[in-house]
Structure formats: C-alpha cells, structure tokens
Amino acid sequence: DKVLTELIEPYELRAAKLREFLEDVKPSLHYDIVPLADPYGPSVTDPDLQCLVVSEETRRGGEAVNKKRLENGLPELALYEILLMKDPDHSQNEEEKISSSSLRQRLLGTLLRPPRQDPALPSRPYVIGLTGGTGSGKTSIAKLLGHLGAFLIDADKLGHAVYVPGGPAYKQVVAAFGAEILNEDGTINRKVLGAKVFGNHEQLKSLTDIVWPEMARMVKEQIGEADAQG
C-alpha cells in the first residue's frame, strides 16, 4: 500500500545510499544492512539485538516486535524513541515529516525509462497516451495539457462515436449481435450490448475486433489533424 510503488528505487540502490549515509555519520561502526521480507525481519529472531530505534508513529510496531520476541523466548528490546524531522518545504498533499512518499510524489512526470527509439515513428506530432482507472485524474491532467497547447483526443468519446447510427462500426455491431441491442430510435443500447459481452470472453473479443480497429483509425485521423494544426 505504499504511495507510487512503481517509483521506489531498487533495493541494491537504497541499501547503498543507506550505507553511505551511516558511514558518513559514524564510519567506525559496523553496519549490517538486511532486506526485510516481512514486517519484522531479524528483530524477532536475532538474540544479539538489544535496542530498537522507533519514532512516535512506529512505537506500536516496536511493541509488537517485543511481543513476538517474548513468544520466541527472547528478551525484550529497549525501545529508543526519536523525533521525526519536519519537512519545511512539504506541499499541501505531502506528509509533514521528511518522507520517501513525498519524494516519490515529486518524481511524478519523470521518465521511468528512456523513450523507445523507433525509426518508423515520426518525430512529430509527439503522442502521449494518458491512462488510468476511474477517478484517477485523467480529465484534470488532460485539461492541464490542453491549456499548455496539447491537442486532446478523448478515446471515450471516440468509443461512443463508433456506435452511433451511421458510425463506422454501427452496421457490423448490429449484424454481429442482433437487432435486440437496438433502442426504438435505432441507436445501440450499450447496457444491453454490455450484458451480452461482459463475462463472455468470445463475445467480448468479437466486439473489440470490430470496434477497436475503427477507434484506432479515428485516432490516427485526429493525430493527422493535430499535425496539420501544428
């Protein structure tokens, strides 16, 4: 349930940064950095441990560790509580403390990997695919991009347009799924059509095989229009 887990750095890099920090603080100490495969790690099995550093928000976790240690026949650890450092520059949607979650928020918009080099792709117009679940903010981000001068192509609207009478997929969909999917005015009843295809893999594939190529063609037409507009 971590915020933006996709942007968490690899373990090896995180461990290296931690070691560099610790050795900078006190190079004379020996540091044993281990990955945690569960919430407790070696804290509930290592008989040599004597102390656990906690914060106000992780003290309950420290108490849970001690409970597990007693169950395992090990002595309790001393819980040494430290204050969390406040982040003077945190924004309204970030945590007040210095936090890796806030750092990941600030990485939004950073490329996870370089753009794929494909000689067949023209250098312009530059096409960005904006995806996400319901309520994830696609519309808000699209508006922001639009204000910056982007040409917006709404795939949902194209999806509706292919079904309207006279639309590019209308006749094929009616022929494939029957007149019972039509309203009295001849428009396709999407709820009736949805009931036919959802949960039925073959029927859904039949529908997408008709609709998606037409949507792709319409998208390409609009990309061409964007290019013509500069």
Side-chain angles (χ1 to χ4, degrees):
D1 59 351
K2 285 285 186 185
V3 174
L4 300 169
T5 52
E6 299 84 358
L7 296 178
I8 293 177
E9 292 175 329
Y11 168 77
E12 291 75 14
L13 179 57
R14 296 169 71 201
K17 286 184 175 181
L18 176 60
R19 184 175 295 281
E20 182 182 8
F21 169 74
L22 294 171
E23 289 177 347
D24 188 47
V25 172
K26 194 158 189 180
S28 60
L29 289 181
H30 169 75
Y31 299 104
D32 187 15
I33 301 171
V34 296
L36 300 182
D38 60 68
Y40 298 103
S43 65
V44 295
T45 56
D46 189 340
D48 296 327
L49 284 181
Q50 296 174 305
C51 174
L52 192 63
V53 179
V54 296
S55 66
E56 183 182 358
E57 66 179 30
T58 61
R59 172 169 276 279
R60 286 178 63 190
E63 291 166 354
V65 163
N66 274 336
K67 185 178 176 185
K68 282 276 189 185
R69 283 182 70 87
L70 290 175
E71 290 173 5
N72 292 340
L74 296 172
E76 288 187 330
L77 301 176
L79 299 181
Y80 182 81
E81 186 174 316
I82 59 170
L83 294 173
L84 290 171
M85 290 190 70
K86 298 287 184 9
D87 183 351
D89 300 316
H90 76 279
S91 65
Q92 193 172 0
N93 66 330
E94 293 176 347
E95 296 184 275
E96 189 180 5
K97 65 180 182 181
I98 291 178
S99 160
S100 59
S101 296
S102 297
L103 295 177
R104 290 197 295 279
Q105 291 270 18
R106 293 167 199 171
L107 282 173
L108 281 174
T110 303
L111 287 174
L112 292 177
R113 53 184 175 271
R116 179 169 55 92
Q117 297 300 316
D118 186 345
L121 289 175
S123 60
R124 61 181 294 277
Y126 194 78
V127 182
I128 299 171
L130 183 59
T131 67
T134 303
S136 61
K138 297 187 297 295
T139 302
S140 300
I141 296 298
K143 283 180 181 176
L144 286 171
L145 290 171
H147 290 319
L148 292 170
F151 182 102
L152 298 180
I153 300 171
D154 189 329
D156 284 340
K157 288 180 180 175
L158 295 185
H160 286 279
V162 297
Y163 289 104
V164 299
Y170 178 82
K171 287 184 178 179
Q172 286 177 271
V173 172
V174 174
F177 295 95
E180 63 266 26
I181 66 169
L182 296 177
N183 293 313
E184 289 183 5
D185 60 0
T187 57
I188 292 174
N189 187 316
R190 292 168 66 89
K191 283 187 178 179
V192 174
L193 178 60
K196 277 177 169 279
V197 300
F198 291 115
N200 185 321
H201 180 73
E202 288 183 8
Q203 291 279 69
L204 183 59
K205 187 177 185 308
S206 297
L207 180 62
T208 55
D209 283 350
I210 296 170
V211 172
W212 285 357
E214 293 298 340
M215 285 179 65
R217 185 182 56 75
M218 294 168 80
V219 166
K220 285 176 182 174
E221 284 179 358
Q222 292 210 1
I223 290 172
E225 187 181 332
D227 191 19
Q229 291 183 18

